[in-house]
C-alpha cells in the first residue's frame, strides 16, 4: 500500500462515519405502529402501552408485541421465521416484513413535526 491508498481509504472511512452520524442524529422515535396485510391497514396502535396484538390473517398467524416503546414480531407460523428473528424496531420509518403472509409492521410518527408535501 502506498500513501495515496491509505489516504483514499481514510477519506472513505470519514465520509462513511459522517453519514452514519447524520442518520443517527436525525432519526425520530416513532409514536404508533401500523400493521398492514396485503397493503390493507388492519391495526394501528400507540407504542406507549405494552401489549400483544394478533394480526388478523386467513391461513396464517402473526403476533406483534409492543414493549417499552419498541415493536417486534413475537410469533409467526411462516416457514422461514425471518420476521420473528428481526430485532425490535422503534424509530420512525423502520419496518418488519413477513413475506409469506404479506404482513408489514411499520413505525410511524404523528404530530406537528411531520412534513407534508403537496404536489400539483
Amino acid at each position: 500500500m502506498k500513501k495515496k491508498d491509505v489516504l483514499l481509504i481514510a477519506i472513505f472511512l470519514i465520509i462513511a462515519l459522517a453519514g452514519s452520524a447524520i442518520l443517527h442524529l436525525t432519526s425520530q422515535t416513532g409514536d404508533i405502529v401500523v400493521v398492514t396485510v396485503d397493503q390493507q391497514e388492519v391495526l394501528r396502535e400507540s407504542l406507549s402501552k405494552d401489549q400483544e396484538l394478533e394480526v388478523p390473517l386467513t391461513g396464517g398467524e402473526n403476533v406483534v408485541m409492543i414493549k417499552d416503546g419498541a415493536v417486534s414480531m413475537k410469533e409467526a407460523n411462516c416457514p422461514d421465521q425471518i420476521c420473528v428473528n428481526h430485532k425490535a424496531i422503534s424509530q420512525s420509518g423502520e419496518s418488519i416484513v413477513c413475506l409469506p403472509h404479506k404482513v408489514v409492521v411499520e413505525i410511524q410518527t404523528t404530530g406537528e413535526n411531520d412534513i407534508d408535501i403537496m404536489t400539483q
Side-chain angles (χ1 to χ4, degrees):
M1 276 195 172
K2 298 181 180 179
K3 282 185 175 183
K4 290 182 181 180
D5 294 333
V6 173
L7 181 64
L8 186 64
I9 291 171
I11 290 172
F12 281 127
L13 283 175
I14 290 170
I15 291 171
L17 289 173
S20 178
I22 289 170
L23 286 175
H24 181 71
L25 293 174
T26 59
S27 65
Q28 289 181 315
T29 302
D31 300 318
I32 59 171
V33 59
V34 177
V35 180
T36 58
V37 177
D38 202 13
Q39 299 181 352
Q40 300 295 318
E41 185 176 316
V42 293
L43 293 170
R44 179 179 289 262
E45 292 289 331
S46 171
L47 292 177
S48 61
K49 180 182 174 189
D50 292 353
Q51 57 186 319
E52 289 185 14
L53 306 166
E54 189 169 326
V55 179
L57 292 172
T58 55
E61 181 180 316
N62 287 65
V63 178
V64 175
M65 183 172 66
I66 302 172
K67 185 173 183 180
D68 300 327
V71 179
S72 62
M73 188 75 71
K74 182 178 178 182
E75 295 175 25
N77 66 349
C78 56
D80 56 13
Q81 297 289 299
I82 292 173
C83 56
V84 175
N85 295 323
H86 195 285
K87 71 176 185 76
I89 58 175
S90 62
Q91 301 296 316
S92 182
E94 291 183 319
S95 62
I96 299 173
V97 178
C98 180
L99 282 177
H101 296 155
K102 299 179 183 178
V103 174
V104 177
V105 179
E106 184 179 12
I107 303 294
Q108 294 182 357
T109 303
T110 59
E112 300 169 4
N113 295 334
D114 286 347
I115 298 172
D116 190 14
I117 299 173
M118 280 189 358
T119 59
Q120 294 182 2

